[in-house]
Amino acid sequence: MPRHFTVSADGRRVLFVRTGSGTDPVGRLWQYEDGRERLLADPGLLIGAAAGAVPEEERLRRERAREHSVGVVSYAADDAARLVAFALSGALWAVRTDGGAPFPVPAAGPVVDPRPSPDGRHIAYVSSRCLHVVDLAGDDRQLARAEGPDISYGLAEYVAAESMQRLRGYWWSPDSARLLVARVDTAPVARRYLGDPADPAKPPRTIAYPAAGTPNAEVTVQLLSLEGGRVDVVWDRGAYEYLVDAGWDAHGPFVAVQSRDQRTLRTLAVDPATGATELRHERTDAAWVELVPGTPARTASGAPVLPEDDGGTRFLTVGGRRVTPDGLQLRAVLGVEGEQVLFTASEDPLETHVWRYGPGHGVRRLSRGPGRYSGVARGGTVVLEGVTPQGNEVRVVRDADRVAGAGAGDGAPDGVIASLAEEPALTPRPVPLTLGERQLRGALFLPSWHQEGTGRLPVLLDPYGGPGMQLVGRARGWFTCVSQWFAEQGFAVLVVDGRGTPGRGPAWEKAVHGDQLTPALEDQVDALQAAGARFADLDLTRVAIRGWSFGGFLAAAAVLHRPDVFHAAVAGAPPTDQRLYDTHWKERYLGHPQERPENYARSSLAGHGHLLSRPLLLVHGLADDNVAAAHTLRFSAELLAAGRPHSVLPLPGATHAPSDEAVIEQLLHFQRDFLLEALRGLPGESA
């Protein structure tokens, strides 16, 4: 699928990444212009072309890298989108979009996150945790040197990348003369050691992982000039230890910082001469301040672009004024150009659309048709990226006012960027449902071969059910294909988004504050019973549940706490002890474990293993650095000590998201067989 779009300042050109086909994992850099696509960089050709000019040992290293390469996975461009930089097998490459072949740029070492300066004269990058700037002739300067093994410059720390959606650690000034740079010291953070039990000779990997209630990394910010000047940015780090975001626009540098309890978020203007900060905005919330991607931001006139939560609605505000109506839920700010703001929002939790706000015009919806959309805009062009009921689509719309009329927009698209993704082997057939007194949004997947009234089907709940992810919507995602596959195996598959999931406003999201288990499980039970009352072919005497990550936690909790409803479960990578999860994500919902230990006890599976009376399969990747395998291993030990039979399937070498296609395929079959066997012999089977 095409992804990672950049639009040039004049709106005529669109950069993007796309692999060669649905079976080709190598990303390539492309440009779309005047209705035509042009390949800018093919990693296979680049590595091969560079191999002849290097020593044999280096040539072999590059060949091995080529075999396992995923190609161009990300890139960055200058302000005019004329110079593009990207890393390939640790080397720094650049290409000019107005013609010419990609060329290597000498670098000090393996390159991470290269970004051209706005004027296109330099490229900044991180190597060995140090920040460098190199010009196109190869003159390399180290602007910040890591003072020790725990220090890094220009990189996001663990909780920023995993829990705050901040993936970068430095930002160029608009005049290309300086950079705003994060310095991270992980010395206070506890270490975890991830070994490979399948290869006992392999040394373990060490990661700095701040578990709930333990110290975070120390994050500071500095202003660095190309001439070597350095200024420290000053704020009350004791009260606001999280660097949520930062940036540098025409009005100067700024940072967004958050308190440890996450109830206060401040936007601070930074004096580029002294590093002193001045409060520009403060958001507070009795539960937690939700981080909205793309905020804070500022328009050309300096008006702050921020979210505001009020009861059931998350509003977009510009210059301190709400510009979106009640009930339209802000999801993310995609960009600001002049006084216009591009953002995503949901009128209906089943869909997410791209909207634009402009003074005098109000808000207008740009995306058309059902689906979940995102996009970018610049120079009068909007790229609309959608996941629809038919699959993925990317439209390039020139003069976006033509599609911003009444309703969903009536203008014809200027072009389409093709998706080369494979079509699924089966077609999802979700039946949309609204269930129970809380109007829970759900989808029911039935076997394509099933005829109503010809027999009752065992039920499989297939939820995620936690913060940050929706599974129910008018879109064909990979998870809808998986749910339909289980339906074809003979299940009636029910998917439900309950309290705590996004898209229905702050009150809905924060209903799980202090208790991430009870509301989530109640909603699955209520939805199941409502669906059973509506569809006579659902056999509620044979009910299973499966899930991964939070969904795995929810599946295991279901058979522990509601064995009267759920008769078997598959729990993949479940966080069984919430105290083992990271600070920013877990303290957001449950507070500090030393201050609110009851929240962690209430929301954990640990300590409740003795309740198990139904078949349970635990699955976990042994290389998981997000939800450590210790969650499953410790819980299995607790179950064994309590005399509770269960099954454990370890996945050697697998991370939190297993990527080996053979493992993924066989894991589906393994789960199916386990669940069918667990439900065999229950009262409804003969029906």
Side-chain angles (χ1 to χ4, degrees):
M1 300 181 302
R3 57 185 176 83
H4 196 19
F5 301 96
T6 300
V7 182
S8 62
D10 60 7
R12 300 189 61 85
R13 296 173 293 111
V14 179
L15 306 175
F16 64 96
V17 172
R18 186 180 59 201
T19 65
S21 72
T23 58
D24 177 7
V26 179
R28 296 163 176 82
L29 181 64
W30 295 81
Q31 179 171 266
Y32 174 94
E33 183 176 12
D34 295 331
R36 295 185 298 273
E37 297 177 1
R38 179 165 66 91
L39 181 63
L40 295 179
D42 185 329
L45 297 178
L46 297 184
I47 295 178
V54 298
E56 179 68 10
E57 182 179 349
E58 174 64 10
R59 185 188 68 79
L60 292 174
R61 186 190 69 82
R62 291 185 179 184
E63 284 298 319
R64 288 193 297 270
R66 181 180 179 181
E67 292 174 3
H68 301 286
S69 174
V70 290
V72 180
V73 295
S74 65
Y75 67 89
D78 63 1
D79 190 59
R82 290 296 182 186
L83 179 73
V84 184
F86 56 94
L88 187 61
S89 299
L92 176 58
W93 288 81
V95 63
R96 296 192 182 278
T97 60
D98 52 3
F103 54 93
V105 179
V111 170
V112 177
D113 195 23
R115 295 180 180 272
S117 57
D119 63 9
R121 297 177 60 189
H122 299 87
I123 300 174
Y125 66 91
V126 178
S127 182
S128 300
R129 296 172 286 103
C130 304
L131 183 71
H132 294 252
V133 171
V134 62
D135 64 24
L136 301 186
D139 180 14
D140 192 293
R141 282 169 279 179
Q142 187 181 80
L143 295 189
R145 180 179 181 82
E147 298 91 344
D150 300 323
I151 309 298
S152 66
Y153 285 90
L155 297 176
E157 73 278 16
Y158 183 91
V159 295
E162 291 288 339
S163 301
M164 301 183 200
Q165 303 181 63
R166 175 171 66 80
L167 301 179
R168 57 189 299 186
Y170 71 90
W171 300 263
W172 279 100
S173 64
D175 64 2
S176 302
R178 289 191 286 178
L179 299 100
L180 188 68
V181 181
R183 177 185 185 271
V184 175
D185 182 356
T186 62
V189 182
R191 266 42 179 183
R192 288 185 174 180
Y193 305 92
L194 297 183
D196 183 358
D199 185 1
K202 185 177 180 180
R205 181 165 63 98
T206 303
I207 61 171
Y209 189 98
T214 68
N216 282 303
E218 294 181 356
V219 181
T220 55
V221 178
Q222 298 176 344
L223 296 152
L224 305 180
S225 71
L226 298 189
E227 289 72 32
R230 178 179 299 206
V231 175
D232 292 327
V233 176
V234 180
W235 77 89
D236 184 357
R237 291 186 52 257
Y240 303 94
E241 65 181 78
Y242 288 124
L243 176 67
V244 170
D245 206 351
W248 201 326
D249 58 19
H251 302 282
F254 63 89
V255 295
V257 297
Q258 190 179 39
S259 58
R260 176 71 181 247
D261 65 11
Q262 302 186 50
R263 295 176 180 175
T264 304
L265 176 65
R266 287 187 163 188
T267 301
L268 308 175
V270 179
D271 185 329
T274 67
T277 55
E278 181 181 350
L279 178 64
R280 291 300 171 85
H281 188 270
E282 181 175 276
R283 293 173 59 204
T284 61
D285 192 279
W288 71 82
V289 175
E290 184 70 16
L291 305 183
V292 176
T295 65
R298 290 184 284 204
T299 67
S301 66
V305 178
L306 295 161
E308 180 182 333
D309 288 0
D310 187 0
T313 301
R314 176 162 296 130
F315 297 91
L316 172 68
T317 70
V318 179
R321 183 174 66 88
R322 295 178 182 175
V323 298
T324 49
D326 187 68
L328 181 62
Q329 307 294 346
L330 175 68
R331 307 296 290 267
V333 170
L334 303 175
V336 177
E337 185 178 17
E339 299 304 312
Q340 297 187 342
V341 181
L342 194 76
F343 63 99
T344 54
S346 298
E347 294 174 288
D348 179 340
L350 300 183
E351 299 185 12
T352 303
H353 285 281
V354 176
W355 299 71
R356 185 168 63 185
Y357 163 77
H361 301 288
V363 294
R364 297 179 177 182
R365 196 178 108 182
L366 304 185
S367 49
R368 305 183 303 177
R372 296 205 183 276
Y373 290 85
S374 186
V376 295
R378 202 176 183 202
T381 292
V382 178
V383 178
L384 296 171
E385 177 186 9
V387 184
T388 75
Q390 291 73 44
N392 294 80
E393 67 173 32
V394 178
R395 297 193 299 128
V396 181
V397 183
R398 182 67 178 165
D399 185 11
D401 282 331
R402 294 190 293 106
V403 296
D410 301 318
D414 280 5
V416 173
I417 296 178
S419 171
L420 306 182
E422 297 290 320
E423 281 297 303
L426 46 74
T427 301
R429 300 155 44 95
V431 178
L433 301 173
T434 300
L435 301 165
E437 62 180 17
R438 284 183 290 278
Q439 301 290 288
L440 298 163
R441 301 308 197 270
L444 181 64
F445 297 81
L446 297 172
S448 59
W449 43 263
H450 178 72
Q451 295 183 0
E452 184 177 356
T454 59
R456 304 184 73 197
L457 299 168
V459 183
L460 174 63
L461 273 69
D462 195 11
Y464 179 75
M469 183 182 294
Q470 289 176 271
L471 297 187
V472 181
R474 300 185 182 100
R476 190 186 74 188
W478 62 266
F479 37 84
T480 61
C481 295
V482 171
S483 294
Q484 186 65 51
W485 184 86
F486 274 102
E488 299 302 330
Q489 311 308 305
F491 293 97
V493 180
L494 180 63
V495 182
V496 175
D497 289 335
R499 284 169 288 176
T501 57
R504 291 187 63 173
W508 182 265
E509 293 172 356
K510 294 172 183 178
V512 298
H513 184 232
D515 185 351
Q516 285 197 278
L517 174 57
T518 306
L521 184 54
E522 285 178 350
D523 287 347
Q524 297 299 316
V525 172
D526 290 353
L528 171 65
Q529 293 173 343
R534 187 179 304 183
F535 297 92
D537 287 357
L538 272 58
D539 184 357
L540 299 195
T541 68
R542 293 182 294 157
V543 178
I545 182 170
R546 66 175 291 274
W548 198 269
S549 195
F550 190 95
F553 157 76
L554 192 55
V559 289
L560 286 179
H561 296 286
R562 293 303 305 269
D564 56 318
V565 175
F566 300 96
H567 307 103
V570 173
T576 62
D577 186 343
Q578 306 295 0
R579 296 169 300 178
L580 295 178
Y581 209 75
D582 78 61
T583 51
H584 194 272
W585 188 262
K586 198 49 58 179
E587 292 174 15
R588 180 185 312 175
Y589 309 109
L590 301 180
H592 196 289
Q594 294 179 6
E595 300 170 0
R596 295 288 185 268
E598 70 280 4
N599 292 349
Y600 287 80
R602 181 189 304 117
S603 302
S604 292
L605 306 180
H608 302 285
H610 63 282
L611 299 176
L612 183 64
S613 60
R614 296 292 191 182
L616 170 63
L617 170 63
L618 300 168
V619 185
H620 219 120
L622 297 182
D624 194 334
D625 62 359
N626 183 9
V627 180
H631 284 270
T632 283
L633 298 177
R634 291 183 183 184
F635 188 60
S636 174
E638 178 184 332
L639 294 172
L640 184 63
R644 303 300 177 181
H646 63 286
S647 301
V648 178
L649 176 63
L651 304 177
T655 63
H656 194 59
S659 57
D660 185 280
E661 292 183 9
V663 170
I664 294 171
E665 179 179 355
Q666 295 306 318
L667 184 56
L668 289 174
H669 292 281
F670 195 94
Q671 294 178 76
R672 175 201 61 191
D673 294 345
F674 174 85
L675 293 173
L676 289 175
E677 177 63 28
L679 297 180
R680 185 169 290 120
L682 293 177
E685 186 182 21
S686 60

